Amino acid sequence: MNTDISLQLQEQIQRADKEATQLCIVGGNSKAFYGCTNNQLEAAGTLSLAGHQGVLSYEPTELVITARAGTPLHVIEKLLADNGQMLPFEPPAYADTATIGGTIACNFSGPRRAYTGAARDFLLGCKLVNGRGEILSFGGEVMKNVAGYDVSRLMAGAMGTLGVLLEVSLKVLPAPEMESTQLFQCSSIEALDKLHAWSQTPLPISASSFHQSVLCVRLSGADKAVHAAIQTIGGENQADGEHYWQQLKEQQLDFFADAQPLWRISIASDAEVPELTENNCLFEWGGALRWFKSDSNNQNFSDNVQQTVAKFDGHASLFRTDDKMSGHQSCRFQPLTPGLLRIHKNLKQAFDPDNILNPGRLYADI
């Protein structure tokens, strides 16, 4: 059945290419809020991967899983958990319908990302359909299997603009034997100083956050290692630590509860940006990721945010907003430099020359 679905997807893309129409790729539709909106995308036909599900191979001893792109994320996570393993990048779902294909297409990673790696770091290979309707395979099921460019990882974060993911192969890791979350009352400067100092040591830190004068640090690993780390860093134990990190990952904490526009700021952890304070931000990843809320979402304000962050060599993306923000269609993500824009356009030309797939979802011309 799923083979037939792959062929149906391929035929739909070939037909769209022949008829010069465009397609909006949809899996579980859990990430429809993310990325740019434009008239082309809203008028495009739907290419659904909802029925393209199933784990194709999983050998726990090899630490590799291969699944169809429409497979629900929670199905994969349960299968791994039943075998004492996990997706190392701890991806957020944002809805029960989230799929593994959408997770990789958005390159979404959770609290563990700064300490173990991003989604693209664990993508070993993939199968996709490009904008010409050709089925292509890249990579494989081992960490080092090809020479040259690692094309499969281009798909992580491309948001479907280069091709429709059919299958993905991911490296997985054993789940930690023990985890503990320690709390510290301190200022943002004190919190960052602690995190910077700890980053120079072999402490088994797997997540960190700071908001409203509370620093949370998660320790993960062998029982003895975690207990030793607790003795080293101190702090107050948070009894419901697992629940806290789950809520943070899924943006269910009070900080995310209102409808204010939410910005995702990637910046050097020691950058002191006056506009990004502990009053309007929640810090993650040792301070390198800052969730920033604002009460404005007009074009000028958005430009100012991105220009300010760029001065610190950072990137600012409008992650979530209830308003489609007329005139903001090309600016959800940090504008690219001319050189990077040229590379993106060349890749688009190579994979989807007629701009069939997710037109403008990433940038206006891509």
Side-chain angles (χ1 to χ4, degrees):
M1 180 181 71
N2 279 283
T3 300
D4 292 340
I5 292 176
S6 293
L7 294 177
Q8 289 171 15
L9 295 170
Q10 181 184 25
E11 291 170 359
Q12 188 175 351
I13 294 172
Q14 290 173 338
R15 187 164 57 252
D17 189 32
K18 182 178 179 180
E19 297 173 354
T21 57
Q22 296 174 310
L23 296 170
C24 176
I25 306 166
V26 177
N29 208 36
S30 61
K31 299 166 183 65
F33 67 88
Y34 188 60
C36 302
T37 58
N38 58 72
N39 294 334
Q40 281 184 306
L41 192 59
E42 291 176 354
T46 298
L47 183 73
S48 176
L49 280 83
H52 192 55
Q53 303 182 12
V55 174
L56 297 173
S57 65
Y58 172 49
E59 178 49 59
T61 59
E62 298 295 330
L63 298 176
V64 174
I65 188 168
T66 299
R68 296 186 175 97
T71 307
L73 181 61
H74 67 81
V75 170
I76 291 176
E77 290 180 324
K78 184 177 187 309
L79 175 61
L80 295 176
D82 288 345
N83 288 274
Q85 296 178 348
M86 65 179 184
L87 292 173
F89 50 98
E90 198 172 8
Y94 301 128
D96 291 339
T97 57
T99 64
I100 190 62
T103 297
I104 296 301
C106 293
N107 195 34
F108 276 169
S109 306
R112 208 178 297 268
R113 182 259 182 270
Y115 305 93
T116 59
R120 65 163 48 91
D121 298 322
F122 294 92
L123 180 60
L124 301 177
C126 66
K127 180 182 288 187
L128 60 90
V129 188
N130 67 10
R132 295 187 178 94
E134 302 167 330
I135 294 181
L136 307 173
S137 295
F138 300 102
E141 295 186 350
V142 295
M143 287 302 289
K144 294 183 178 180
N145 61 340
V146 292
Y149 294 109
D150 191 347
V151 178
S152 61
R153 295 189 183 183
L154 288 175
M155 303 303 138
M159 298 187 68
T161 58
L162 300 180
V164 180
L165 288 172
L166 295 177
E167 301 171 9
V168 295
S169 294
L170 297 165
K171 180 176 177 59
V172 302
L173 290 179
E177 180 180 316
M178 177 185 176
E179 290 191 327
S180 178
T181 297
Q182 303 300 113
L183 305 181
F184 305 83
Q185 293 284 337
C186 56
S187 68
S188 60
I189 294 177
E190 292 170 331
L192 292 176
D193 285 346
K194 288 178 182 291
L195 291 169
H196 292 156
W198 292 335
S199 69
Q200 306 301 314
T201 70
L203 289 167
I205 297 176
S206 65
S208 63
S209 75
F210 176 81
H211 181 55
Q212 293 184 336
S213 301
V214 178
L215 170 64
C216 299
V217 176
R218 183 176 64 190
L219 303 166
S220 304
D223 185 90
K224 289 184 178 179
V226 172
H227 281 297
I230 293 172
Q231 294 299 313
T232 298
I233 69 172
E236 177 186 351
N237 179 260
Q238 182 174 358
D240 60 343
E242 182 177 356
H243 179 64
Y244 170 80
W245 296 111
Q246 176 69 17
Q247 284 194 307
L248 173 59
K249 181 182 73 167
E250 300 299 336
Q251 297 189 348
Q252 296 170 346
L253 296 175
D254 290 343
F255 175 83
F256 301 101
D258 56 45
Q260 286 183 299
L262 179 68
W263 288 84
R264 183 182 186 274
I265 311 292
S266 297
I267 199 166
S269 60
D270 59 354
E272 296 183 12
V273 188
E275 293 83 355
L276 304 178
T277 70
E278 57 186 279
N279 295 323
N280 57 25
C281 285
L282 186 150
F283 293 45
E284 276 197 82
W285 301 358
L289 172 63
R290 305 183 192 184
W291 297 105
F292 166 59
K293 293 194 300 186
S294 68
D295 56 5
S296 176
N297 63 355
N298 62 57
Q299 182 68 59
N300 289 336
F301 178 84
S302 299
D303 290 342
N304 288 336
V305 171
Q306 292 175 328
Q307 291 166 9
T308 297
V309 171
K311 294 177 182 177
F312 294 85
D313 296 323
H315 299 268
S317 302
L318 181 59
F319 189 79
R320 192 191 294 267
T321 179
D322 290 339
D323 189 343
K324 290 187 177 180
M325 298 179 65
S326 176
H328 195 283
Q329 296 178 356
S330 63
C331 298
R332 286 290 184 94
F333 300 108
Q334 186 79 24
L336 297 172
T337 63
L340 285 175
L341 181 59
R342 183 167 59 252
I343 292 172
H344 276 252
K345 287 184 174 180
N346 288 343
L347 286 170
K348 182 68 170 178
Q349 180 64 29
F351 283 90
D352 183 21
D354 296 321
N355 198 23
I356 301 299
L357 305 173
N358 276 4
R361 183 74 184 268
L362 193 57
Y363 287 99
D365 300 327
I366 300 174

